[in-house]
Amino acid sequence: MPEAPASEASNRPRRLLTAAGAVSLAAAALLVGVLSFQRIWPVDYWWQRGVGEYVLSHGVPSHDVFSYTNPQHPWLETRWGYCVALFSLTRALGHEAASIARTLIVLATFGLAAAAGLVGARRQGWALHGTVIAGGVVAVAAMASSQRMVVRPETVSVFFLAVFLWVIARRMQAPTRWVWVLPLVEAMWANTHGFFPLGPAVTGAWLVGETIEWALARAGWAVPDPDRASRVRQAGIITAIVGLAMLINPYGPRALLLPLTQFLALSGETAQKGYILELTSPFAFGDRYTALWWYKAMIGVATASVLLAPRRQRAFWLIVTGAMFALSAAAIRNIPLFAIAATAMAIRGLCVSPIWEWRPVARGAPWALAAGSIGLAIFCVVQVRLVATDRFAVQQRDTNQFGIGLARHRYPVRAIEFLKSTGATGPMFNSLGIGSYALAQGIPVFIDPRGEVFEQAILGEYREITEPPMKFDEYARKYGFRSAVIDTDAFPLITHIAHLPGWRLVYLDEVAAVLLRDDESPQTQAIDLARDQARWLEEARSRMPRPTVYESAGWADRVTSPVPYYRLGKTCFALGWYQAARSLFEDAIAAYPPAFAPEDLEYLVYTASLAGDRAASATYAQQWEARAPLDPTRARASMLALLKLGDAVAARPFAERLAKADPRDAEAIAAAGTVALMQSRFGEAERWIRQAVELSPATAGYHRLLGQSLAMQIKTEEAIRELSRALELDPGEVAAASTGAMLLSRVGRRDEALAWAERALKISPNDPQATQVIRSLRPTP
């Protein structure tokens, strides 16, 4: 074959890189779009929507207008602009419009971050391989931010941050009029979310970075740039104007108190930090969420971009990314701030690295980057499949779903409707998450998720109500609670109130429970366990049908979250609704078996055992014992409870594991012997119990158990000796006396048997075994 013309051969790598870049960017955009295309899940959605409705009717609030506990508490609601936009949009187009708007904002945010990195890396040749790099970095950043792509004002804040970074990156490359847009963006930011001080902070970082580089150039340690002095002056002017623009809000300078309060909530042990999970540091959270693993990967990518081009870094990117990392390390909710800043810095740093100028790398780079783009596309398609089928959420016990509109099994819609239908009046106690939806329905609340409003007093009282020892009754007298709506996660509190004199449980679903005082809406009947359990479970099934069995779901089939079933099952278990609890637990484990922690199998063991299903309880017990690290306290409690239920099969693995773990644990060794005795393994029972007797010879029960195991083997004299010893140690050991009577009757020693039986009846006049012996040996004429 004739050789291709030289020009065609030289253009081949360029075409290859162009195609690879297109694939990389398209794959990353698809991943970002799908990750953000989730239902509305945050509890804050409702109070923010309620604020929007209030502002349109009454103006921007200056004090709390939603709770009856804090009616005069100062309230600086700088998110009012976002709230008005949210309410207006959803009132006109429905909740689905909010989901779609969020997806568009997230796509724009990552697009601007990638553009900022590519603008900063503009140089001949870099733009081609830069698009491939940009796609990969955006994919990592999107995965790191996946848990925070939510319908909340912080998403708009991250978008504004991306706008600032993109504009500054353009100005650092060449003069542009876009810089004069930043004050307008800041004015919008100051009326949208409490992160608005980041605007002047970012422009201030630009000013500091340019000043540092100007000073280094003056000292001969950096390459001179004729435009740098102009950028320093412009950065100073823009920072000043942006600083003034953030004061354009209904509260003026006082608006700064909100971000100050939010910042203080990140430091120290505040009441908010104890209740609001998103304020937890990602490094103290474990790897429960996939996003946290990718957050660490993003740290690695950002670090690599600095190490690969140490002398080509810009001070601005190092300062701003370092600051965003500090914020993200303090609270998990700030991860997207770091992800966006690190995306721009990493793309630029990886593009300008001298590694691309090395001849071996330059020669093989097009092919390597093309292969990388294909790998990235495959990765993104796999993740898209996981997200679109809800496996991404289910595998990390996230309760959200792919799609638009409101998340299922999330908001107390039916519970609040039921409360309203009862005609209940007067103060309502509510758990934290319930308050958001309730206030949006016009119900004055005890508390809601606006942490800065309740930090000083009510959060402390809420903690005393919800944490053992629960002081609900005390605060019910203080505030005059006449009803309570509590999310199902708080099942100990539900059970506590349901058992208080003067209170009754009237409604329960997978989201919330409603409880009323006995003198409140007396026409509303309490849920009667004996009467209503089957009917209630049938109604629950209508809302939560049998889940898709995870292991049998097809490649493209959507799976079911186990969390609603598990959450409601725990509440039913705590209330004593064991039949319903078992059904719900079995649904949960069918939906996703790995979601059941080893200790959670305890509920299945107990409910199956209570139902008399020994085979099922034994299976669950074996799974529990096999998966769980030994917790002697928990294992012992489970063993004794199962023995009390007479379920030897389920009790066996715990007894034997405890006995083997500590050869001097007489109680566990005796329990292993008891299990063997209950299962008619009499020789094995004798061996176990003899060990217990040797370890604790003064325990009457162990001698009685040994006597019983010997009696079942017709070792008469040894058995009578051990049973007699049990009665010496404890004259009230009726089981020892009746066992002796049964054994002696069996071997034909009539007079001795009668004596032992009469002794047993003196201890317990209705003992069935002793009564049977006497009837058989002294038949009624």
Side-chain angles (χ1 to χ4, degrees):
M1 292 182 63
E3 293 185 3
S7 59
E8 182 181 344
S10 62
N11 284 332
R12 191 173 299 156
R14 179 177 291 273
R15 290 198 300 270
L16 185 63
L17 281 173
T18 301
V23 169
S24 181
L25 291 178
L30 175 65
L31 179 62
V32 171
V34 170
L35 282 172
S36 62
F37 199 71
Q38 298 178 44
R39 293 177 182 265
I40 298 169
W41 184 89
V43 293
D44 292 345
Y45 174 78
W46 292 102
W47 74 255
Q48 288 160 0
R49 196 172 182 276
V51 168
E53 183 177 15
Y54 179 88
V55 171
L56 289 175
S57 301
H58 303 90
V60 179
S62 60
H63 61 276
D64 184 17
V65 296
F66 292 123
S67 78
Y68 63 84
T69 50
N70 250 353
Q72 298 304 317
H73 191 280
W75 180 24
L76 302 173
E77 191 44 81
T78 61
R79 294 158 290 210
W80 71 272
Y82 168 87
C83 296
V84 168
L86 176 67
F87 176 74
S88 301
L89 178 67
T90 54
R91 180 176 58 178
L93 301 175
H95 302 296
E96 294 77 8
S99 297
I100 295 170
R102 178 263 318 278
T103 298
L104 295 175
I105 290 171
V106 171
L107 281 167
T109 300
F110 280 95
L112 286 169
L118 290 172
V119 165
R122 187 175 297 164
R123 184 175 171 180
Q124 186 177 4
W126 286 348
L128 289 177
H129 69 250
T131 54
V132 181
I133 291 170
V137 173
V138 166
V140 175
M143 293 294 290
S145 305
S146 59
Q147 292 300 129
R148 306 303 305 171
M149 296 179 181
V150 290
V151 180
R152 287 183 63 174
E154 68 187 57
T155 299
V156 180
S157 256
V158 179
F159 168 74
F160 287 146
L161 172 65
V163 171
F164 268 72
L165 296 178
W166 176 72
V167 169
I168 291 172
R170 284 179 61 93
R171 177 59 190 94
M172 289 169 67
Q173 187 67 25
T176 175
R177 294 180 179 179
W178 279 103
V179 292
W180 303 108
V181 173
L182 295 182
L184 176 61
V185 174
E186 178 61 23
M188 296 171 60
W189 200 345
N191 294 277
T192 304
H193 190 229
F195 283 177
F196 65 88
L198 291 179
V202 170
T203 57
W206 176 33
L207 172 61
V208 172
E210 294 286 7
T211 302
I212 290 172
E213 291 176 357
W214 174 79
L216 291 175
R218 287 287 300 270
W221 295 341
V223 178
D225 182 345
D227 187 41
R228 184 171 286 125
S230 174
R231 291 200 302 270
V232 170
R233 288 192 298 272
Q234 194 168 50
I237 294 169
I238 292 295
T239 298
I241 299 174
V242 166
L244 292 173
M246 74 175 176
L247 303 179
I248 304 173
N249 65 78
Y251 307 105
R254 288 193 304 127
L256 290 168
L257 292 174
L258 177 62
L260 177 62
T261 302
Q262 293 175 330
F263 177 77
L264 292 175
L266 300 180
S267 59
E269 293 300 322
T270 62
Q272 287 187 66
K273 202 159 187 176
Y275 273 99
I276 302 177
L277 197 61
E278 67 190 42
L279 299 181
T280 306
S281 167
F283 298 105
F285 203 85
D287 287 328
R288 171 178 167 182
Y289 290 115
T290 303
L292 296 179
W293 190 92
W294 287 99
Y295 167 64
K296 294 168 187 174
M298 193 66 203
I299 295 171
V301 170
T303 303
S305 72
V306 174
L307 296 178
L308 288 173
R311 301 187 64 180
R312 296 180 178 179
Q313 296 301 317
R314 297 298 301 268
F316 165 71
W317 292 114
L318 294 174
I319 294 169
V320 77
T321 304
M324 296 304 110
F325 170 71
L327 289 174
S328 69
I332 197 171
R333 75 174 180 188
N334 296 332
I335 285 178
L337 297 174
F338 167 71
I340 292 304
T343 293
M345 185 189 80
I347 291 172
R348 180 192 175 278
L350 293 174
C351 285
V352 303
S353 172
I355 193 173
W356 304 108
E357 299 166 12
W358 299 353
R359 183 170 298 178
V361 173
R363 187 176 300 142
W367 307 100
L369 290 170
S373 69
I374 294 171
L376 175 63
I378 293 171
F379 169 80
C380 290
V381 168
V382 169
Q383 296 303 317
V384 164
R385 177 249 178 182
L386 293 176
V387 174
T389 61
D390 289 333
R391 285 173 170 82
F392 186 82
V394 166
Q395 288 172 0
Q396 50 194 323
R397 297 192 74 173
D398 179 2
T399 55
N400 206 351
Q401 306 96 34
F402 177 73
I404 58 175
L406 301 176
R408 296 187 297 270
H409 315 301
R410 176 61 174 167
Y411 300 115
V413 178
R414 290 184 299 271
I416 294 298
E417 287 177 353
F418 182 88
L419 178 69
K420 287 183 172 182
S421 72
T422 67
T425 59
M428 173 193 72
F429 171 77
N430 60 274
S431 51
L432 194 66
I434 300 294
S436 182
Y437 183 80
L439 70 81
Q441 304 307 309
I443 300 175
V445 299
F446 177 82
I447 195 171
D448 61 66
R450 295 170 297 150
E452 66 275 4
V453 175
F454 298 99
E455 168 73 36
Q456 293 181 1
I458 304 303
L459 267 174
E461 295 184 341
Y462 182 73
R463 174 170 289 178
E464 290 192 332
I465 291 172
T466 57
E467 294 183 0
M470 295 171 179
K471 296 183 178 180
F472 177 85
D473 207 21
E474 177 183 325
Y475 284 99
R477 290 190 294 271
K478 175 180 178 180
Y479 289 104
F481 299 149
R482 301 190 64 81
S483 62
V485 184
I486 301 167
D487 65 83
T488 314
D489 275 336
F491 65 91
L493 181 59
I494 295 171
T495 308
H496 174 76
I497 300 173
H499 289 106
L500 282 176
W503 285 85
R504 67 195 192 278
L505 176 67
V506 295
Y507 180 85
L508 176 67
D509 65 22
E510 75 279 11
V511 179
V514 179
L515 301 104
L516 297 176
R517 267 180 41 166
D518 284 347
D519 58 351
E520 179 68 36
S521 305
Q523 76 280 4
T524 305
Q525 294 185 347
I527 301 176
D528 186 297
L529 301 185
R531 182 193 68 211
D532 296 335
Q533 186 171 174
R535 179 176 60 81
W536 175 87
L537 182 59
E538 184 178 348
E539 291 176 356
R541 285 264 168 264
S542 68
R543 299 186 298 268
M544 297 190 304
R546 296 286 183 181
T548 301
V549 177
Y550 189 87
E551 294 165 339
S552 64
W555 189 87
D557 290 342
R558 295 185 74 164
V559 296
T560 309
S561 172
V563 175
Y565 302 92
Y566 175 67
R567 184 170 56 211
L568 186 55
K570 288 179 73 172
T571 304
C572 291
F573 188 89
L575 290 166
W577 302 13
Y578 299 121
Q579 176 187 343
R582 182 187 179 189
S583 177
L584 292 163
F585 286 138
E586 288 179 338
D587 284 346
I589 202 168
Y592 188 56
F596 257 64
E599 60 270 18
D600 293 336
L601 289 165
E602 174 183 8
Y603 297 109
L604 280 165
V605 175
Y606 287 161
T607 52
S609 186
L610 286 163
D613 190 344
R614 299 292 191 248
S617 67
T619 299
Y620 293 134
Q622 289 167 0
Q623 292 176 5
W624 179 7
E625 190 273 340
R627 290 176 57 192
L630 180 63
D631 180 342
T633 302
R634 194 180 191 106
R636 189 180 307 277
S638 301
M639 172 190 73
L640 295 175
L642 291 166
L643 285 175
K644 188 175 182 180
L645 291 171
D647 193 344
V649 178
R652 181 178 181 179
F654 302 106
E656 293 184 355
R657 192 174 183 188
L658 284 168
K660 291 174 182 175
D662 183 0
R664 298 194 61 79
D665 187 342
E667 184 181 46
I669 290 168
T674 303
V675 167
L677 187 61
M678 294 169 69
Q679 294 182 307
S680 301
R681 295 180 284 113
F682 305 123
E684 182 181 339
E686 179 187 346
R687 290 192 296 274
W688 281 113
I689 299 168
R690 282 194 186 279
Q691 292 181 46
V693 169
E694 290 173 4
L695 290 167
S696 184
T699 303
Y702 297 168
H703 287 279
R704 185 251 305 158
L705 286 170
L706 181 55
Q708 289 174 328
S709 65
L710 293 166
M712 297 307 296
Q713 299 174 75
I714 318 298
K715 297 180 179 180
T716 307
E717 299 306 325
E718 289 183 82
I720 294 298
R721 184 168 59 249
E722 292 299 329
L723 295 169
S724 298
R725 179 60 177 156
L727 285 164
E728 290 174 14
L729 292 168
D730 181 4
E733 259 287 1
V734 64
S738 60
T739 298
M742 292 289 289
L743 172 61
L744 291 166
S745 172
R746 187 177 178 183
V747 297
R749 293 162 61 170
R750 180 177 180 277
D751 293 340
E752 293 176 86
L754 286 171
W756 279 75
E758 289 170 353
R759 184 172 183 180
L761 290 174
K762 286 181 181 179
I763 302 170
S764 177
N766 297 315
D767 183 75
Q769 286 186 320
T771 302
Q772 180 184 345
V773 169
I774 288 179
R775 285 176 179 172
S776 65
L777 297 178
R778 290 177 181 168
T780 304

